[in-house]
Amino acid sequence: MSSVSKADRKATLDVASWFFNVVTSVGIIMVNKALMATYGFSFATTLTGLHFATTTLLTVLLRWQGYIQDSYLPLPDLLKFVLFANFSIVGMNVSLMWNSVGFYQIAKLSMIPVSCFLEVVFDKVRYSRDTKLSILVVLLGVAVCTVTDVSVNIKGFLAAVIAVWSTALQQYYVHFLQRKHSLGSFDLLGHTAPVQAASLLLVGPFVDYWLTEKKVYAYNYTVISMFFIILSCTIAVGTNLSQFICIGRFTAVSFQVLGHMKTILVLILGFIFFGKEGLNLHVILGMIIAVAGMIWYGNASSKPGGKERWIYSAPSNKSQKQDELSDSTETDERV
């Protein structure tokens, strides 16, 4: 009975984590779209720095209240994480500027196979056939929804490669650091957010000027634009936290695959709030395919052998042959 209730509690927390991430992620995309498209605030890197500054204030407050305990994260691990995260943010912005929207979407889709590669190489994860096929179905569906014109150039391709690999490494590191140092989501965020805020606020205005040829301090700040900036920063706290919670509870691959539900919702809300000219049959078909693939992935990856981390211990000489035979038998049963 206790095992059943424990499983139910885990399932409830999993659903709540995903719901929290989807709501905050879709919310911040819609707010930022209004802020940038309607009010002309095109300083994405600086805005991200403000997001992490707001997140830092929350972690400081929670630490002061005792909700975040003292923990340790080695400086090399912290710097590597911040490096990957900042290259991800800047790389995505540069990729969007230098590439067509279609190639930018293809680059984003390639994060899933890159994340799979990282898990296979570093975590010795093995995927079943159904899990692999479900990932392909999700990729196909999202591609049908989002990929239109596709053109590529050398510098755009290099920017996309940097963006994809840095994003995949950043998301892998979220899960890896939480496991390695026994850190909770708030703990890890408390270590990384201040460094990201400081670094992005330092380089953000220069990067944004390079991308837009506009200066952030010369922007015409109004009451409405300031309201949207503050709203964006507030929602970003939930987005940052929910990302760490979801990747910590699951993996970067699951976060990427099921995270494309956010892409579907953004498309739907975009049609509702910003015009319905993009709503056509092939987009609807792509949405259906993608959602079907996500459901299939959730079912396939949760089955025994669907997605497992294989840990090989060093057996004693006396029992080595017996253990190897046992491992071989388990492999046949799982796959």
Side-chain angles (χ1 to χ4, degrees):
M1 184 70 179
S2 61
S3 61
V4 175
S5 60
K6 186 177 180 180
D8 290 343
R9 183 173 178 273
K10 181 183 182 302
T12 301
L13 290 174
D14 288 348
V15 172
S17 300
W18 278 117
F19 182 76
F20 183 32
N21 180 254
V22 168
V23 170
T24 54
S25 298
V26 173
I28 199 171
I29 290 171
M30 303 308 293
V31 169
N32 287 351
K33 187 170 183 178
L35 178 61
M36 294 180 181
T38 306
Y39 299 102
F41 190 87
S42 55
F43 311 102
T45 310
T46 304
L47 182 62
T48 307
L50 293 173
H51 290 169
F52 281 106
T54 309
T55 304
T56 300
L57 292 177
L58 176 66
T59 59
V60 170
L61 177 63
L62 291 175
R63 190 181 299 277
W64 180 58
Q65 293 291 328
Y67 291 103
I68 298 180
Q69 303 301 319
D70 290 335
S71 57
Y72 176 68
L73 180 63
L75 183 61
D77 284 343
L78 174 61
L79 294 179
K80 279 190 287 187
F81 177 89
V82 171
L83 182 68
F84 294 145
N86 288 357
F87 263 100
S88 168
I89 293 164
V90 175
M92 280 298 177
N93 291 336
V94 174
S95 177
L96 183 58
M97 182 183 72
W98 284 350
N99 292 310
S100 65
V101 175
F103 186 77
Y104 173 78
Q105 292 293 346
I106 290 176
K108 286 181 66 178
L109 290 176
S110 68
M111 289 179 198
I112 293 179
V114 171
S115 295
C116 290
F117 173 79
L118 293 176
E119 288 191 356
V120 168
V121 171
F122 295 117
D123 290 343
K124 309 303 179 186
V125 170
R126 295 293 180 265
Y127 300 93
S128 69
R129 185 188 64 178
D130 281 0
T131 303
K132 294 174 185 176
L133 290 175
S134 66
I135 291 174
L136 290 177
V137 172
V138 173
L139 292 174
L140 174 64
V142 177
V144 171
C145 287
T146 59
V147 177
T148 52
D149 59 310
V150 179
S151 60
V152 62
N153 55 74
I154 295 297
K155 65 178 185 179
F157 177 79
L158 291 176
V161 169
I162 292 172
V164 167
W165 277 93
S166 58
T167 302
L169 284 166
Q170 181 261 341
Q171 293 183 355
Y172 173 80
Y173 247 67
V174 170
H175 190 73
F176 172 77
L177 293 177
Q178 290 189 46
R179 275 200 340 262
K180 180 180 178 182
H181 301 291
S182 300
L183 296 172
S185 303
F186 272 119
D187 298 326
L188 183 57
L189 201 56
H191 286 291
T192 60
V195 184
Q196 281 193 262
S199 56
L200 288 172
L201 289 176
L202 182 65
V203 303
F206 299 100
V207 173
D208 289 331
Y209 180 73
W210 175 48
L211 294 174
T212 65
E213 297 184 352
K214 297 177 183 178
K215 299 176 180 178
V216 65
Y217 57 80
Y219 174 75
N220 181 28
Y221 293 92
T222 63
V223 174
I224 298 179
S225 64
M226 285 298 298
F227 168 78
F228 274 98
I229 291 172
I230 294 172
L231 181 61
S232 177
C233 290
T234 303
I235 299 174
V237 174
T239 306
N240 292 331
L241 176 60
S242 64
Q243 183 194 44
F244 280 35
I245 291 174
C246 286
I247 297 178
R249 293 186 67 83
F250 309 101
T251 64
V253 173
S254 294
F255 182 76
Q256 282 285 339
V257 173
L258 300 179
H260 278 298
M261 177 60 71
K262 294 175 285 190
T263 304
I264 305 300
L265 290 175
V266 167
L267 286 172
I268 294 172
L269 293 176
F271 298 146
I272 294 172
F273 292 111
F274 298 100
K276 300 182 180 180
E277 66 279 357
L279 185 60
N280 53 50
L281 184 60
H282 88 270
V283 171
I284 296 174
L285 177 62
M287 290 179 181
I288 295 172
I289 294 173
V291 171
M294 292 173 204
I295 296 172
W296 188 11
Y297 174 84
N299 183 54
S301 62
S302 63
K303 288 181 178 179
K307 180 181 178 182
E308 293 184 345
R309 179 177 291 107
W310 289 55
I311 302 175
Y312 297 96
S313 58
S316 62
N317 292 332
K318 185 177 180 180
S319 61
Q320 184 171 4
K321 289 185 178 181
Q322 182 178 353
D323 288 346
E324 285 178 353
L325 179 60
S326 175
D327 287 343
S328 176
T329 304
E330 288 179 6
T331 301
D332 292 340
E333 290 176 352
R334 287 171 183 170
V335 178

